[in-house]
Amino acid sequence: MNKQDRLLQEHKAVCDKLYEVYEQKNMAYGNSFGETFDDLGIISAVTRISDKFNRLKKLTKNSDIPQGDESISDTLPDLANYAIMTYMDVMRDDKICSGIFEKLEKQ
């Protein structure tokens, strides 16, 4: 297997893991992200992404900080999923881009 194929497989594995995390968190919290986005708009997503990014910065800058329940490997999937959920909500709201989800539903 060449490097490009390996990278593609790694990317798919990461995306599969992100989906598992998304599914677990949705079962635990419901669609709180989407509901907040509907109520407050994109600023709600920016706030959550900023909070996760700030957590990541603190974890990487200072190894003395107790990680508690959340490590770097926990923070990164959450950050990625917040970006994906924001993208989904923006695409749903954008009349020009909404056709993408309609096409996906037909597949």
Side-chain angles (χ1 to χ4, degrees):
M1 175 182 311
N2 66 36
K3 184 176 180 178
Q4 182 64 27
D5 290 340
R6 190 171 57 256
L7 289 173
L8 289 170
Q9 284 188 343
E10 286 178 23
H11 186 272
K12 184 177 181 332
V14 168
C15 288
D16 290 345
K17 180 62 178 172
L18 289 175
Y19 179 79
E20 288 175 21
V21 170
Y22 172 76
E23 190 174 37
Q24 291 167 358
K25 298 246 176 164
N26 248 4
M27 282 194 277
Y29 303 114
N31 186 26
S32 65
F33 185 93
E35 291 169 3
T36 306
F37 188 97
D38 290 343
D39 290 343
L40 304 175
I42 197 165
I43 194 65
S44 64
V46 171
T47 301
R48 289 194 189 191
I49 290 169
S50 295
D51 289 344
K52 284 293 173 181
F53 184 73
N54 287 332
R55 173 76 175 155
L56 180 62
K57 284 193 314 188
K58 285 182 181 170
L59 289 170
T60 56
K61 283 184 173 182
N62 188 349
S63 60
D64 295 335
I65 296 175
Q67 292 188 10
D69 296 332
E70 190 171 346
S71 65
I72 291 172
S73 60
D74 295 323
T75 301
L76 288 171
D78 288 344
L79 187 57
N81 271 326
Y82 282 154
I84 291 168
M85 290 185 289
T86 303
Y87 178 71
M88 290 166 51
D89 285 335
V90 167
M91 295 297 280
R92 249 187 242 103
D93 284 349
D94 188 340
K95 303 291 185 234
I96 296 170
C97 297
S98 64
I100 292 171
F101 289 108
E102 291 169 9
K103 289 177 188 176
L104 288 174
E105 290 172 2
K106 292 178 184 177
Q107 292 180 352

